[in-house]
Amino acid sequence: MTDPAASSTKPRVLSCMQPTGDVHLGNYLGALQPWVAGQHRNDAFHGIVDLHALTVTDKPGVVGQAAVELAAMFFAVGLDPDVATVFVQSHVPEHNQLGWVMECTISFGELSRMTQFKDKSAKREQDFISGGLFTYPALQAADILLYDTNQVPVGDDQRQHIEITRDAALRFNHRFGETFVLPEAVTPAAGARVMSLQDPSSKMSKSDDSDAGCVYLTDDPKAVMKKFKRAVTDSETGPDSVRFDREIKPGVSNLLEIHAAVTDRTPQAVSEEFEQYGALKVATGEAVLAVLDPIRERYNELMEDRGELARLLKIGAERARGVAAATLERAYTNIGMLPA
Ligand code: TRP
């Protein structure tokens, strides 16, 4: 077994994102920023899981374009290819190969109990529901187990998928002998919880009905300022109206939390500087732009230099394959597959 990190005492941590649309401020402050901070503490692997996106893809060109954009964004926000392993899932064929093994290790009943499948298939009721949407957790189990992953930082919506991965690993190890490292779901380093600027009771998301509530990292500065100026607040007035209280003042608190996250302070500390919503909105937009401007610049540079992007992704794919191929071979050997 050759594992480049075998001698490292850092935990192997895997986080993945599907290339299914533009990256927004919620993704950045909630996930990408903590990933960037964690890359030196951990042996970090970050996958752009394009095969997962195929579960809901029916047009040519879309996934590849989204994958290259997400890769440029990963590097633009500061993931360092010399430190973290950044790869595109389809560049590492071992994902498909171990994915099949996992489909045969997880039962139909277990897959049927996945709440994400039930939710997603219900939402697509009139639409095409692919078999892949159902077997998706088996592919995700392969993603995780291939890298001898110790920790997977996930939100609540993904915990069940980590549980099924652990169950699959245990079952496989029991059937065929010690093969896989048991991964653990960990609560991600606290990123900011960013809500929609138009409906602060729901998370900022790409599926917002209008784009007005969602700030994309590639939005031009004018659009960003406009979205902040139009952010929904409340009708309280007076010098005390700017305070952090998620229950009673969700809109104002969201602005305070965003402002605090991009200036590395607490929402309470930010609230003390403002007495009026208008001033808070403008200052928050400006503070966000101070962070987004350099990201957008690096992103545009990389998108114009596809050769460089391809080079960076090749480094990641080679490193990822080095680990993944060894794990797949271990699994095949322990099953006792006929060697090629
Ligand atoms: N299922 C995850 C999501 O929808 C994405 C994902 C795929 C993933 N493979 C993974 C996350 C492996 C962590 C580890 O967000």
Side-chain angles (χ1 to χ4, degrees), residues 259-326:
H259 198 124
V262 294
T263 54
D264 206 13
R265 287 181 297 168
T266 65
Q268 286 78 8
V270 176
S271 72
E272 279 154 28
E273 284 172 22
F274 296 94
E275 298 196 341
Q276 283 180 344
Y277 295 168
L280 171 65
K281 290 181 192 180
V282 170
T284 302
E286 285 169 352
V288 165
L289 279 179
V291 171
L292 295 194
D293 284 344
I295 292 176
R296 189 182 336 100
E297 245 169 67
R298 279 197 299 273
Y299 173 84
N300 289 335
E301 268 170 33
L302 276 168
M303 285 301 285
E304 274 162 31
D305 191 350
R306 295 302 180 90
E308 175 63 5
L309 255 185
R311 187 184 73 82
L312 296 179
L313 288 176
K314 198 161 173 219
I315 296 173
E318 273 168 15
R319 225 185 288 147
R321 281 201 84 173
V323 182

Side-chain angles (χ1 to χ4, degrees), residues 39-297:
Q39 65 185 331
H40 297 284
R41 232 180 11 251
N42 304 315
D43 178 17
F45 277 59
H46 294 297
I48 293 166
V49 286
D50 55 350
L51 298 172
H52 278 89
L54 290 189
T55 56
V56 293
T57 295
D58 55 10
K59 288 188 187 60
V62 177
V63 174
Q65 179 62 22
V68 79
E69 289 174 3
L70 190 56
M73 197 50 89
F74 277 15
F75 296 123
V77 298
L79 285 178
D80 180 345
D82 290 329
V83 177
T85 303
V86 176
F87 64 96
V88 174
Q89 187 185 27
S90 67
H91 295 179
V92 184
E94 286 79 6
H95 286 261
N96 307 66
Q97 294 173 286
L98 192 67
W100 176 251
V101 175
M102 286 299 118
E103 278 186 53
C104 299
T105 309
I106 298 174
S107 74
F108 181 82
E110 284 170 317
L111 291 171
S112 307
R113 285 194 288 277
M114 293 294 108
T115 48
Q116 195 176 62
F117 171 71
K118 292 189 220 168
D119 291 350
K120 283 195 184 175
S121 52
K123 266 192 212 142
R124 296 176 68 79
E125 78 188 84
Q126 311 289 7
D127 250 327
F128 181 79
I129 298 169
S130 65
L133 205 59
F134 184 69
T135 57
Y136 176 118
L139 184 59
Q140 182 163 352
D143 299 342
I144 296 167
L145 299 178
L146 272 179
Y147 298 104
D148 294 334
T149 304
N150 302 114
Q151 299 177 355
V152 191
V154 284
D156 286 339
D157 65 322
Q158 293 294 321
R159 285 197 175 262
Q160 218 185 6
H161 291 163
I162 312 306
E163 273 312 305
I164 210 175
T165 301
R166 287 175 61 91
D167 292 345
L170 280 169
R171 183 173 301 138
F172 187 101
N173 287 352
H174 182 72
R175 284 180 180 168
F176 302 113
E178 208 46 45
T179 308
F180 297 120
V181 171
L182 271 195
E184 204 188 325
V186 296
T187 308
R193 234 168 90 82
V194 179
M195 313 304 278
S196 160
L197 297 182
Q198 287 300 312
D199 172 13
S201 65
S202 60
K203 278 211 296 196
M204 184 175 281
S205 92
K206 2 192 184 213
S207 50
D208 273 357
D209 286 343
S210 94
D211 267 355
C214 185
V215 175
Y216 295 102
L217 300 199
T218 49
D219 275 347
D220 69 65
K222 262 199 206 138
V224 173
M225 287 309 293
K226 195 162 150 191
K227 288 176 183 179
F228 277 100
K229 283 183 188 163
R230 290 187 180 173
V232 167
T233 48
D234 55 60
S235 56
E236 193 181 333
T237 52
D240 254 2
S241 54
V242 179
R243 16 174 240 289
F244 189 69
D245 183 336
R246 281 229 173 251
E247 292 274 298
I248 299 173
K249 303 176 71 67
V252 172
S253 301
N254 189 35
L255 290 170
L256 290 171
E257 175 141 3
I258 292 171
H259 198 124
V262 294
T263 54
D264 206 13
R265 287 181 297 168
T266 65
Q268 286 78 8
V270 176
S271 72
E272 279 154 28
E273 284 172 22
F274 296 94
E275 298 196 341
Q276 283 180 344
Y277 295 168
L280 171 65
K281 290 181 192 180
V282 170
T284 302
E286 285 169 352
V288 165
L289 279 179
V291 171
L292 295 194
D293 284 344
I295 292 176
R296 189 182 336 100
E297 245 169 67

